[in-house]
Amino acid sequence: MTFPIEQQIWIGGDLPLVIAGPCVVESEAIVLETAWALKQVTSQLGLPFVFKSSYDKANRTSHRSFRSIGFKPALRILARVREEVSVPVLTDVHETNQVAEVAEVADILQIPAFLCRQTDLLQTVGQSGRVVNIKKGQFMAPEDMKFAVEKVTDTGNQRVFLTERGSSFGYHNLVVDMRSLVIMRRFAPVVFDLTHSVQMPGGMNGRSGGQREFAPYLARAAAAVGVDGFFMEAHPDPEHALSDGPNMIPLNEMETLLESLLKVWQTARPYWESAFVPSH
């Protein structure tokens, strides 16, 4: 399945889509620095690029952790990225009453993993007419994501894709079942989230930890299995990021990472595109 995000930016096309940016809108300076740097790297490699950042982190482990600079200020910054950097923008929505206003700024509305079964939210986002990204819940079987997709497509909106971000494995740990990429791709294009897949939820006494050193290995494995794009969080200085620092990719490592992913993806694509896995 192939469809446009905006103009020449497609998912399911001849190149993998790159969705990248800081976890949350921390400041205008950090967001714009990251957006321009990512656009330069992806342009050099010829890769389609969507900028991502959350205007609010509504599911932080502790209420004392940083959430947002404010709903409207964060949206204004995302709108500036869209206009000045000239790239599509993705951001999360958590409540139905925010969808219409966020849809004026974002090209892709993302359903967070913890909310992937919320029918009213999925339907409202579908009715917005924007592209929809549903993150697979850490608690969900991949075959059950078919029903999340249907909640959107039954509104008449066929532009929906899924993102794998790991499954809960004991406490404070996630694992990625590579079979899920194949299974979910029966229903919609699939993107692999390499940075949240190495997150350690709540593993730092009220904060989430992470093992970013393993992200490239999982991403290359996903590229070989077959995906339509890669989702990753990036930051100029992850050690001082206000959210998800331990699993974010430093900006100065992005070019090398994307080059390696593109090589594996292009080499493996003829094999996974011709593969057939029967439904059960």
Side-chain angles (χ1 to χ4, degrees), residues 21-28 30-31 34 53-70 199 204 206-209 212 233-248:
C23 177
V24 64
V25 176
E26 299 179 17
S27 71
E28 189 170 73
I30 287 176
V31 165
T34 306
S53 195
S54 299
Y55 57 81
D56 179 24
K57 299 304 292 183
N59 62 351
R60 296 304 302 269
T61 304
S62 169
H63 72 281
R64 297 181 179 86
S65 298
F66 175 82
R67 278 187 57 173
S68 174
I69 62 171
Q199 188 184 60
M204 294 179 67
R207 295 183 297 118
S208 290
R212 76 169 66 93
E233 293 189 329
H235 194 281
D237 184 10
E239 301 304 327
H240 294 94
L242 298 181
S243 177
D244 273 3
N247 51 267
M248 283 202 279

Side-chain angles (χ1 to χ4, degrees):
M1 184 183 299
T2 302
F3 56 80
I5 306 297
E6 180 195 72
Q7 297 177 356
Q8 301 302 311
I9 307 296
W10 290 68
I11 186 166
D14 293 332
L15 288 167
L17 179 66
V18 175
I19 303 171
C23 177
V24 64
V25 176
E26 299 179 17
S27 71
E28 189 170 73
I30 287 176
V31 165
L32 288 172
E33 177 186 354
T34 306
W36 280 114
L38 291 170
K39 182 178 181 180
Q40 180 179 9
V41 170
T42 52
S43 295
Q44 289 173 348
L45 296 173
L47 292 171
F49 167 56
V50 171
F51 179 81
K52 67 79 51 188
S53 195
S54 299
Y55 57 81
D56 179 24
K57 299 304 292 183
N59 62 351
R60 296 304 302 269
T61 304
S62 169
H63 72 281
R64 297 181 179 86
S65 298
F66 175 82
R67 278 187 57 173
S68 174
I69 62 171
F71 177 67
K72 290 186 181 295
L75 286 187
R76 282 196 293 269
I77 291 171
L78 292 175
R80 187 175 173 190
V81 169
R82 191 183 187 202
E83 181 178 348
E84 295 184 13
V85 188
S86 297
V87 294
V89 167
L90 173 152
T91 196
D92 313 80
V93 287
H94 304 90
E95 301 178 22
T96 56
N97 61 11
Q98 295 178 340
V99 170
E101 192 168 354
V102 176
E104 294 179 5
V105 171
D107 302 275
I108 304 175
L109 301 183
Q110 179 168 281
I111 304 294
F114 286 129
L115 301 179
C116 70
R117 291 175 55 133
Q118 295 297 105
T119 302
D120 288 347
L121 184 59
L122 285 159
Q123 291 177 338
T124 303
V125 167
Q127 291 162 358
S128 74
R130 292 298 192 185
V131 177
V132 180
N133 176 29
I134 310 173
K135 285 203 157 185
K136 181 179 77 65
Q138 300 92 323
F139 47 87
M140 291 288 288
E143 56 268 26
D144 291 341
M145 290 304 294
K146 171 185 178 181
F147 305 107
V149 171
E150 289 177 350
K151 290 178 182 182
V152 174
T153 57
D154 282 356
T155 69
N157 186 347
Q158 303 300 312
R159 296 194 301 162
V160 55
F161 64 95
L162 297 169
T163 294
E164 169 62 70
R165 50 102 2 109
S167 298
S168 296
F169 187 74
Y171 299 124
H172 308 313
N173 199 26
L174 300 169
V175 296
V176 178
D177 180 356
M178 292 292 166
R179 294 175 300 178
S180 72
L181 305 174
V182 181
I183 294 168
M184 293 196 297
R185 208 163 176 267
R186 299 174 188 152
F187 321 132
V190 170
V191 166
F192 179 65
D193 181 345
L194 53 146
T195 48
H196 284 106
S197 291
V198 296
Q199 188 184 60
M200 302 177 73
M204 294 179 67
N205 190 29
R207 295 183 297 118
S208 290
Q211 297 176 305
R212 76 169 66 93
E213 66 272 22
F214 294 115
Y217 296 95
L218 290 180
R220 287 191 288 268
V225 171
V227 289
D228 299 285
F230 300 95
F231 181 111
M232 61 198 80
E233 293 189 329
H235 194 281
D237 184 10
E239 301 304 327
H240 294 94
L242 298 181
S243 177
D244 273 3
N247 51 267
M248 283 202 279
I249 306 295
L251 279 181
N252 61 9
E253 297 179 12
M254 287 296 297
E255 183 174 2
T256 299
L257 173 60
L258 289 176
E259 283 180 341
S260 71
L261 295 184
L262 181 58
K263 287 178 182 177
V264 175
W265 191 89
Q266 289 176 324
T267 301
R269 185 185 181 200
Y271 301 98
W272 54 257
E273 276 209 324
S274 62
F276 173 73
V277 178
S279 299
H280 295 286

